[in-house]
Amino acid sequence: MYSHGSESLIKQAREIQDSELQKFYSRLVKLLQGKELGYEMVDSLQRLHLILSANKYIRTLPPELQKRLQSLLSSPAEQFQVLSSAVLRETLPPAAHSGNYSQENIVQLNGHAAALLLSQAGSRADVSSLCTQLLRGLESRQSEGPTNSLTHTLPILNTILTHNPECLTEDHVTLLSKKLVDWLRYASILQGGGASSGGFFTGPRSRQPVPIAELDGTVSGDFFTVLCVGQSFTEDQWMNVFSFSALRHWLLTYHSVSNGNGTADTAHRLQLSLSLSHSHSFSNDDRSEVDGSVVSMVSATSSSSRLLPPKERLREKSFQYCQRLIEQSDRKAHKKSDADLQKACLVEAVCILDCVCEEDASLVFRAFPCIKALFGRLSSDLSFARVLLPIAQFYLNHGEMAAVDCGSVWALVFGRFPSELFNDPFLAHELLRFLRLNLESLQLRVPQYTHSFPNLLKFLAWDSPAVVDDFVDLLPSLVTAGTAVELLHTLLDLPCLSATLVLQVRSTCLPISEQSGRGLLSLDAFRSPSFRGLFLFLLRGEAGSGDTIDRLSTLHELLVETADWPRVVQCAQIVPVLLHIFFNTVITVADEKLLAHLILVMLERSSLLLNIPKYNKEIHRVFSSHLLRLCKLHPSLVMDQSHELLEFSGATANVYSKEEIYTHVVWVLGEYLSVSCDSRCSVTLITSCFEALEAVLFEITSSVPPPGADCPAPRVVTTLMSALAKLASRSHDLIPRVSLFLSKLRTVTRGGSVAWCSDEEDLVAIVTRGEELWSLLKAPGVAQSVLTPPAHVTTPQWHRDTNVALPLRLRTLTNLTHSH
Amino acid sequence: MVRCFLIHTVCPVNALGAGESRVLYCRVFGPDESLFTDQEREFSPEERRVLQREQTAVVARQVHSAASLSRGAAGRLLMEALPGEEALALQEADSGVLRLRAGDPFPEEMSALWLGVQSLGFTLVCEPHENLLLAEGTLRTLTRHCLEHLHLLGPGSEVLLRSDRIDALLSRLLPHGQLLFLNHRFAHSLEKEVAAYMTK
């Protein structure tokens, strides 16, 4: 597919010498002068395009060549239009830039030349003038002007409006609204002419007009829409397609024009509704006069809309069009591509109905029965899931107003969709986008939202790289005090969920009788009834049935072979990020009791994680940093969890298996286990903590590390020493014990290398720290103020302290110097 | 509206670094968006072009990464389809959608739909509120036509030298970036015009 040949072509195009290029230019000019538009010309233009586009820096063509290419834009042969447009797009616009715009009228240009003009627009003013020209071109009757320019008008307008809706005036809005109404509602319902392709025997019968048909073959009984078919199409039928394609965007955009005129519209409408007896039409070129004879199911039920102002009329006609589309989508299309189009039309129709109901709340009561029926029709069919999302948006926006029960909608969105369609990337993207955009409403109106995280996280567990970005935005809203602990457990076990989902998918693909002989023990376990409960817990849809399971270690063992599966590895990589977000959010909603519980969870889970390479280390790192942060914010947490923290720090094995966390636990104990942090702290507690740490320090500095473990990092040893010193400074009886240990340490290390420290520099650093602490502890009072500083030292507030505030000092100095 | 359509590599390219993607075709629709964002200074046309190129390069890179990860996770072997088996190649293609945050690289948030057919990726960058069902269908149709008319399953380099064919295709099926609701009759009519162009 992508070959070495392509690569070398690009290289040649980039590295072409200037002299060769100039020769090529002059050859091309000669060809263009010759007016022989043949194969050599096409080939040369294609090569020129490659040369120009191969570089990201723009080239300037010689003026003669540029001029000739400009004239080629209006060539009758389309290939030259396309080629010249493509080439000129890659070059600088001509110097007489503004001249280009005043001369050309975009309406007269073909589609390719128009695209060039648009891409070369140099300023907002240019774009606005293009917009005005296009709209002026629309005003003239359809019979004038080239036919293809009309079909391109709407797309170009649409793209200009995306960026620059301010270039529309009120008149423009009126004009375009009227045109859209005509095209949408009053397009011809007969098949396009030209069916009689010549022939001598074209009698009157062959010229009989054939009506358009529906997608299932039946004859159409109502106005033309995008879901109607015929052998060939008339121009206004094409405009019907283009109009509907641009409709939603138009309805969303013209708001920015009509801001000032809102009240004028309602007043007008009121006046008109009072004068219903008058039957004057609103404008001369309004085709609704000829409407009468058409059998129309949808329009028969609508109110007399001829009297509405243009924008309201467009809204009404859009409403009818969408209702018709919804009806038409129920028909069984013969071709698959049409069935897909029906789905896309349903999405668009519901979105447009949502849009018009936003603008005119009275339409909600007319729209809801239709939407509700549609929901009823589609809710049990998961292949229509992507259509049900816009319906959910409609319910969210207007459900309250119509006092409709939305429970079944949310059961789908938060229940069935995540649990059964987690592997559909497009549904995942759209559902998560729906959540992101409506977060505030959902939190208000959907009470089960915050309990639905086990289901929602399935999207993340299945395809982490694609949706992690959405979860970075969504996760904070899922952190509540009531579910925080369960959420933490779920996040830590996300790789397990990932593995389980893979197993679930595989299980449905492989027949049950087949022996998963290739060592897929996990698949056997997934299918075995004795372990079913474990997996079912992971696959649960709602929070609230328990924080986690007892047999978590069993689960991890069963899944040990999944640790190198790509989805599991990808998932493990994003868990630390989510944990950071979780902790950053939870401190804003949790009370101290909950935070203490979370510390407990951190300590427990630090040894209870699925064994994926680097996963444990990363999680420990996250835990450590947040443990530190939590304790700094609420130092009394250390007191609350002193028992567990002591137990953790007293187990020597933790030094080797969980070094990072161990170091931080010891540090927080040393720092915050004091009376100044929490008045409940007693001398007994300090002593028991001291003894626990002392024992560990003795052990690790007197023996070889256990087989398979590395020597403890110097940081662990120095942290232990510092913690002991800090505790001793608070209970002076302990000072002699520390001093004894530190002097012993100095003696032992003077003898040379030791079994527990491999690096000489590290050993020197440890010993130096030991000496510093030893000398500090010789003066207990000093030691206390250095190692357990009072609060005002650690959190200076110089600017608030009246004794040292700068302004005060300055004032004093000024007064002193200006004492005369 | 569709902001741009790209054809780029989703396989490793020797001349480029790891993860880099070679953009083989790029068409941006509409006026340059930098005209409308509030900036301290106006960009010159050269600067605007460089900016546009860099934006599309970023998109290509991100899609390349997404496609690689998706293929790795699915664990399927990449099968080589031969010329003539375009429908099969399309059926076997990986697909997905990427969220491009505001500022990375476009000023507003965008959605990038992609189809990975063997070593090439076909990407449509649309505004997020766009009808993604329709966009997905349009992307598949565009890809099918590109595979057929540019003989992409063979070893040639027509995507570079015959990019006017893609321009003509886009002007019918995605005029100025507008997605169209085309039933099979409308589509047939347009495809006839496209086929007529291709035979020239």
Side-chain angles (χ1 to χ4, degrees):
Chain A
M1 268 194 127
Y2 183 66
S3 61
H4 192 63
S6 306
E7 207 41 43
S8 69
L9 252 182
I10 294 181
K11 191 157 180 272
Q12 278 176 38
R14 282 192 175 168
E15 295 174 0
I16 189 168
Q17 297 297 325
D18 200 50
S19 53
E20 206 184 316
L21 188 59
Q22 295 301 328
K23 262 194 270 178
F24 183 55
Y25 286 157
S26 22
R27 202 173 79 228
L28 201 52
V29 170
K30 250 193 239 120
L31 271 174
L32 286 163
Q33 276 170 337
K35 299 226 187 273
E36 194 226 284
L37 306 176
Y39 172 71
E40 200 191 337
M41 173 89 96
V42 170
D43 186 65
S44 308
L45 285 173
Q46 286 169 338
R47 286 184 189 278
L48 179 61
H49 178 254
L50 178 61
I51 294 170
L52 292 174
S53 62
N55 249 309
K56 72 177 173 184
Y57 298 104
I58 209 166
R59 287 187 203 266
T60 336
L61 293 174
E64 177 65 28
L65 182 57
Q66 182 119 16
K67 216 173 56 180
R68 300 226 167 243
L69 287 170
Q70 291 275 144
S71 59
L72 211 56
L73 280 172
S74 42
S75 158
E78 195 188 350
Q79 194 166 30
F80 291 105
Q81 291 172 9
V82 176
L83 282 166
S84 52
S85 172
V87 167
L88 288 171
R89 241 184 289 131
E90 302 288 335
T91 64
L92 279 174
H97 184 51
S98 49
N100 205 8
Y101 277 85
S102 59
Q103 283 161 28
E104 304 275 14
N105 186 340
I106 194 172
V107 185
Q108 312 289 357
L109 298 175
N110 58 62
H112 306 289
L116 175 66
L117 203 57
L118 199 57
S119 72
Q120 285 184 333
S123 65
R124 265 194 158 119
D126 285 344
V127 177
S128 294
S129 93
L130 284 179
C131 187
T132 320
Q133 284 175 13
L134 284 166
L135 288 160
R136 224 180 281 140
L138 265 187
E139 269 181 296
S140 56
R141 288 259 165 223
Q142 284 174 6
S143 50
E144 300 168 12
T147 41
N148 62 358
S149 67
L150 204 53
T151 50
H152 280 272
T153 300
L154 283 181
I156 299 180
L157 265 176
N158 215 359
T159 180
I160 292 178
L161 290 176
T162 309
H163 301 291
N164 199 12
E166 308 85 53
C167 67
L168 285 179
T169 66
E170 190 58 34
D171 289 334
H172 289 156
V173 173
T174 308
L175 167 68
L176 200 51
S177 303
K178 283 193 205 166
K179 285 283 177 189
L180 286 173
V181 166
D182 276 348
W183 286 322
L184 285 171
R185 182 65 183 77
Y186 301 110
S188 164
I189 53 162
L190 302 170
Q191 294 196 20
S196 54
S197 47
F200 196 63
F201 299 103
T202 46
R205 214 195 292 171
S206 61
R207 265 187 254 122
Q208 190 167 53
V210 182
I212 45 162
E214 299 288 337
L215 289 174
D216 58 1
T218 57
V219 171
S220 190
D222 208 338
F223 59 89
F224 185 86
T225 70
V226 295
L227 292 178
C228 294
V229 289
Q231 275 299 105
S232 62
F233 298 104
T234 61
E235 203 204 345
D236 56 357
Q237 288 168 344
W238 276 103
M239 290 314 294
N240 184 295
V241 172
F242 276 88
S243 302
F244 179 66
S245 302
L247 183 60
R248 174 150 70 118
H249 194 245
W250 171 251
L251 289 173
L252 288 171
T253 311
Y254 71 24
H255 281 306
S256 25
V257 184
S258 58
N259 278 332
N261 295 323
T263 44
D265 285 338
T266 28
H268 210 168
R269 217 182 321 148
L270 200 59
Q271 188 187 44
L272 289 170
S273 64
L274 288 172
S275 59
L276 256 170
S277 52
H278 295 217
S279 58
H280 59 269
S281 71
F282 213 63
S283 67
N284 290 330
D285 51 338
D286 193 338
R287 287 167 61 182
S288 55
E289 300 290 346
V290 299
D291 192 16
S293 56
V294 174
V295 172
S296 157
M297 294 184 296
V298 173
S299 35
T301 55
S302 70
S303 49
S304 167
S305 59
R306 264 180 278 156
L307 308 173
L308 293 172
K311 283 216 308 273
E312 279 72 4
R313 198 138 176 272
L314 179 60
R315 242 180 263 153
E316 175 64 36
K317 298 303 177 189
S318 307
F319 189 94
Q320 292 173 13
Y321 197 103
C322 292
Q323 277 190 311
R324 174 140 160 74
L325 282 181
I326 293 176
E327 270 176 77
Q328 285 177 300
S329 299
D330 205 10
R331 295 171 184 271
K332 190 132 174 40
H334 289 320
K335 290 188 184 277
K336 182 176 184 298
S337 63
D338 287 339
D340 293 338
L341 183 69
Q342 282 175 320
K343 273 193 199 162
C345 284
L346 278 174
V347 169
E348 193 77 359
V350 175
C351 290
I352 293 178
L353 285 176
D354 187 25
C355 196
V356 298
C357 287
E358 291 269 343
E359 289 181 44
D360 183 356
S362 66
L363 290 170
V364 174
F365 298 102
R366 285 171 59 194
F368 236 116
C370 174
I371 301 276
K372 229 173 127 184
L374 187 62
F375 178 74
R377 209 170 93 203
L378 302 177
S379 57
S380 51
D381 187 349
L382 283 181
S383 65
F384 281 92
R386 286 171 71 184
V387 179
L388 288 162
L389 282 179
I391 296 182
Q393 180 76 65
F394 190 93
Y395 270 84
L396 190 63
N397 291 345
H398 309 288
E400 212 170 273
M401 179 184 203
V404 170
D405 175 34
C406 309
S408 42
V409 178
W410 304 131
L412 271 182
V413 172
F414 293 105
R416 276 195 87 191
F417 287 175
S419 64
E420 295 183 53
L421 298 174
F422 54 83
N423 52 359
D424 180 345
F426 293 95
L427 178 74
H429 177 87
E430 291 181 333
L431 197 148
L432 293 172
R433 184 162 176 272
F434 168 72
L435 295 181
R436 269 189 298 122
L437 293 179
N438 296 289
L439 210 46
E440 280 176 32
S441 302
L442 288 170
Q443 285 175 307
L444 264 175
R445 308 225 190 106
V446 184
Q448 72 256 44
Y449 170 67
T450 49
H451 286 255
S452 60
F453 61 81
N455 251 349
L456 293 176
L457 286 171
K458 286 177 187 166
F459 289 123
L460 187 60
W462 180 259
D463 193 356
S464 323
V467 298
V468 63
D469 210 39
D470 290 319
F471 274 94
V472 164
D473 292 339
L474 286 173
L475 190 61
S477 63
L478 293 168
V479 178
T480 64
T483 55
V485 177
E486 193 180 341
L487 181 56
L488 179 56
H489 281 291
T490 312
L491 288 174
L492 291 169
D493 282 324
L494 215 55
C496 298
L497 178 59
S498 195
T500 309
L501 292 175
V502 173
L503 288 171
Q504 189 180 49
V505 169
R506 269 195 209 170
S507 180
T508 49
C509 297
L510 291 173
I512 290 186
S513 55
E514 181 181 306
Q515 283 287 80
S516 50
R518 245 187 344 107
L520 266 186
L521 300 165
S522 48
L523 189 57
D524 289 334
F526 181 75
R527 285 170 170 169
S528 121
S530 46
F531 298 122
R532 203 84 189 102
L534 302 178
F535 293 105
L536 282 178
F537 178 76
L538 282 182
L539 291 172
R540 73 200 187 283
E542 273 183 6
S545 55
D547 292 336
T548 186
I549 43 180
D550 293 331
R551 297 196 288 162
L552 203 54
S553 50
T554 318
L555 181 69
H556 291 163
E557 268 170 61
L558 293 171
L559 293 175
V560 83
E561 69 181 358
T562 71
D564 58 355
W565 290 359
R567 284 196 201 278
V568 176
V569 171
Q570 285 172 7
C571 185
Q573 285 170 350
I574 54 104
V575 172
V577 173
L578 294 177
L579 285 178
H580 278 303
I581 298 176
F582 170 81
F583 281 110
N584 289 341
T585 318
V586 89
I587 51 179
T588 60
V589 299
D591 60 1
E592 251 187 59
K593 193 155 162 274
L594 179 57
L595 292 177
H597 194 170
L598 291 176
I599 293 182
L600 194 59
V601 172
M602 281 199 272
L603 294 177
E604 279 176 359
R605 293 302 305 259
S606 57
S607 52
L608 205 55
L609 295 168
L610 188 60
N611 195 6
I612 309 169
K614 295 195 251 165
Y615 184 58
N616 279 268
K617 267 223 170 71
E618 283 299 319
I619 301 293
H620 290 176
R621 206 180 297 172
V622 174
F623 279 170
S624 306
S625 73
H626 287 285
L627 174 69
L628 212 57
R629 205 156 151 229
L630 286 182
C631 291
K632 196 164 177 196
L633 274 174
H634 302 276
S636 50
L637 281 173
V638 177
M639 207 34 239
D640 291 335
Q641 293 292 46
S642 55
H643 179 77
E644 280 73 25
L645 290 168
L646 240 65
E647 212 180 296
F648 187 87
S649 54
T652 318
N654 287 339
V655 175
Y656 299 106
S657 62
K658 299 175 217 170
E659 191 180 283
E660 184 83 21
I661 300 192
Y662 186 83
T663 315
H664 285 79
V665 168
V666 168
W667 193 89
V668 299
L669 280 171
E671 187 74 3
Y672 299 115
L673 200 65
S674 75
V675 173
S676 55
C677 289
D678 191 318
S679 51
R680 295 171 288 169
C681 186
S682 63
V683 172
T684 338
L685 187 60
I686 292 182
T687 312
S688 51
C689 183
F690 181 91
E691 284 173 352
L693 296 181
E694 189 188 36
V696 174
L697 189 55
F698 269 143
E699 216 182 307
I700 64 174
T701 54
S702 58
S703 57
V704 184
D710 294 328
C711 292
R715 199 168 59 138
V716 183
V717 181
T718 54
T719 311
L720 276 165
M721 294 193 309
S722 308
L724 288 173
K726 286 177 192 170
L727 291 171
S729 72
R730 290 163 206 158
S731 173
H732 294 187
D733 304 337
L734 301 168
I735 293 182
R737 288 166 74 168
V738 186
S739 308
L740 187 61
F741 172 80
L742 291 173
S743 52
K744 266 204 193 146
L745 185 70
R746 203 170 32 172
T747 327
V748 163
T749 53
R750 262 200 209 124
S753 64
V754 288
W756 49 271
C757 185
S758 46
D759 191 290
E760 206 180 296
E761 279 179 23
D762 290 343
L763 193 59
V764 168
I766 292 173
V767 172
T768 317
R769 173 61 69 89
E771 283 176 354
E772 288 167 1
L773 290 170
W774 181 76
S775 43
L776 190 60
L777 288 172
K778 279 201 273 198
V782 177
Q784 187 159 18
S785 56
V786 169
L787 297 172
T788 313
H792 75 258
V793 171
T794 45
T795 53
Q797 297 179 76
W798 309 123
H799 60 292
R800 284 192 230 170
D801 188 337
T802 43
N803 292 327
V804 296
L806 192 58
L808 189 67
R809 276 187 278 162
L810 284 176
R811 246 180 277 143
T812 316
L813 283 171
T814 319
N815 282 336
L816 283 173
T817 52
H818 291 206
S819 53
H820 320 298
Chain B
M1 301 297 293
V2 171
R3 186 58 65 85
C4 65
F5 173 68
L6 303 175
I7 303 179
H8 56 95
T9 56
V10 289
C11 59
V13 176
N14 287 337
L16 298 171
E20 296 280 339
S21 174
R22 175 79 73 201
V23 176
L24 299 170
Y25 177 84
C26 164
R27 177 72 192 273
V28 178
F29 298 105
D32 194 289
E33 77 218 340
S34 64
L35 294 177
F36 305 102
T37 51
D38 293 316
Q39 319 220 67
E40 276 147 29
R41 60 184 186 90
E42 288 214 347
F43 287 132
S44 69
E46 295 98 333
E47 288 168 326
R48 269 190 264 132
R49 186 187 140 101
V50 172
L51 184 64
Q52 214 176 64
R53 281 306 194 88
E54 290 178 349
Q55 282 174 335
T56 51
V58 167
V59 175
R61 239 191 345 259
Q62 291 198 23
V63 171
H64 177 24
S65 158
S68 312
L69 286 168
S70 168
R71 283 174 171 173
R76 283 187 315 174
L77 295 163
L78 222 57
M79 44 125 335
E80 289 281 320
L82 301 168
E85 296 178 337
E86 279 85 13
L88 181 64
L90 200 58
Q91 220 179 7
E92 295 285 308
D94 307 285
S95 62
V97 56
L98 207 57
R99 175 189 171 199
L100 298 171
R101 271 188 187 267
D104 179 26
F106 299 100
E108 296 105 26
E109 184 176 319
M110 295 280 163
S111 296
L113 286 88
W114 57 268
L115 261 184
V117 181
Q118 291 172 57
S119 52
L120 290 183
F122 299 80
T123 302
L124 265 186
V125 177
C126 333
E127 290 164 7
H129 61 77
E130 190 59 74
N131 188 326
L132 292 182
L133 259 177
L134 185 65
E136 202 190 330
T138 310
L139 179 59
R140 281 190 182 268
T141 311
L142 286 174
T143 305
R144 178 170 49 88
H145 284 289
C146 286
L147 287 176
E148 283 170 7
H149 296 295
L150 295 172
H151 310 116
L152 289 175
L153 293 177
S157 316
E158 287 176 57
V159 62
L160 293 172
L161 288 173
R162 307 245 184 282
S163 59
D164 63 297
R165 292 189 175 183
I166 314 179
D167 285 340
L169 178 68
L170 290 173
S171 75
R172 299 291 188 305
L173 295 179
L174 198 58
H176 305 282
Q178 174 78 61
L179 290 166
L180 295 175
F181 288 85
L182 300 170
N183 62 47
H184 76 276
R185 291 303 313 168
F186 280 104
H188 178 75
S189 172
L190 289 175
E191 286 173 9
K192 251 182 17 196
E193 287 182 33
V194 167
Y197 182 93
M198 301 294 177
T199 53
K200 282 204 203 108

